Amino acid sequence: TLGVDAGVRRDFLRGVVDLVTRERRTVVFSTHVLPDVERVADHVCLIDQGVKRVDAAMSEFRDSVVSYCLDFDGEPPAHLDINRLLGVERVKNQLFVTFMKPDDDTEKALSQLKPTRIERIELSLEDAFIDYTSPNRDWRAAFNPQAKGGRSQ
């Protein structure tokens, strides 16, 4: 769908959804245009540098990659050592942090940073994929819907 007129792309995607619904078919859709995938897919297989990183229901993957915005009165902490951390972005007095399968310990560790506010942010599939495959993250998480998560090398 890359390079196709927006109206034609929308018609194509509607046609895919109609085919799947009417004919009860499976469609393999290979694209870098993740907003299109998000609109039509219920299962996702994400490949990063030739390696299958995710093969799961869309909802499982999106529910597993979670981002938070933390506000601070002063400068945010320079270094974070929190399990399941995928990415950190600093913007003035804010930290945007993304985790793989955060749990109660994750939220406790965020609270111990003493932010003035913690807000959970819903990520698009594209944002979740970018954070999940970021080479700048502290560890490479292995996505496994049955596993609890944790540090992995």
Side-chain angles (χ1 to χ4, degrees):
T1 57
L2 188 61
V4 175
D5 175 83
V8 172
R9 189 177 85 240
R10 178 170 286 177
D11 289 345
F12 170 77
L13 294 173
R14 282 185 185 144
V16 169
V17 171
D18 289 345
L19 174 68
V20 169
T21 303
R22 188 178 62 249
E23 302 287 330
R24 298 184 49 83
R25 303 281 177 137
T26 297
V27 175
V28 176
F29 191 53
S30 175
T31 183
H32 288 92
V33 185
L34 296 179
D36 286 354
V37 173
E38 196 163 24
R39 289 177 66 190
V40 299
D42 58 6
H43 194 93
V44 63
C45 178
L46 299 175
I47 299 172
D48 175 37
Q49 298 180 7
V51 177
K52 181 170 62 171
R53 302 287 182 199
V54 175
D55 186 358
M58 176 80 75
S59 59
E60 284 180 286
F61 177 66
R62 292 212 34 219
D63 291 347
S64 295
V65 182
V66 179
S67 189
Y68 300 87
C69 174
L70 286 73
D71 291 340
F72 293 89
D73 282 333
E75 191 74 20
H79 178 73
L80 300 180
D81 186 22
I82 303 174
N83 283 338
R84 301 180 175 97
L85 182 66
L86 293 175
V88 178
E89 183 179 351
R90 289 168 178 77
V91 179
K92 297 182 182 179
N93 290 355
Q94 292 182 316
L95 280 181
F96 294 89
V97 291
T98 305
F99 295 91
M100 184 68 185
K101 298 181 183 179
D103 59 13
D104 292 339
D105 290 338
T106 307
E107 297 200 4
K108 185 187 296 183
L110 292 176
S111 294
Q112 290 173 347
L113 298 172
K114 307 248 187 278
T116 57
R117 181 179 71 92
I118 300 175
E119 178 185 353
R120 186 175 172 143
I121 300 170
E122 186 171 334
L123 295 174
S124 67
L125 176 62
E126 184 172 289
D127 290 336
F129 176 75
I130 289 169
D131 283 349
Y132 184 76
T133 60
S134 171
N136 299 324
R137 65 182 180 207
D138 291 340
W139 63 286
R140 179 159 304 269
F143 182 84
N144 180 345
Q146 287 75 39
K148 285 269 188 186
R151 282 198 186 263
S152 173
Q153 297 297 328

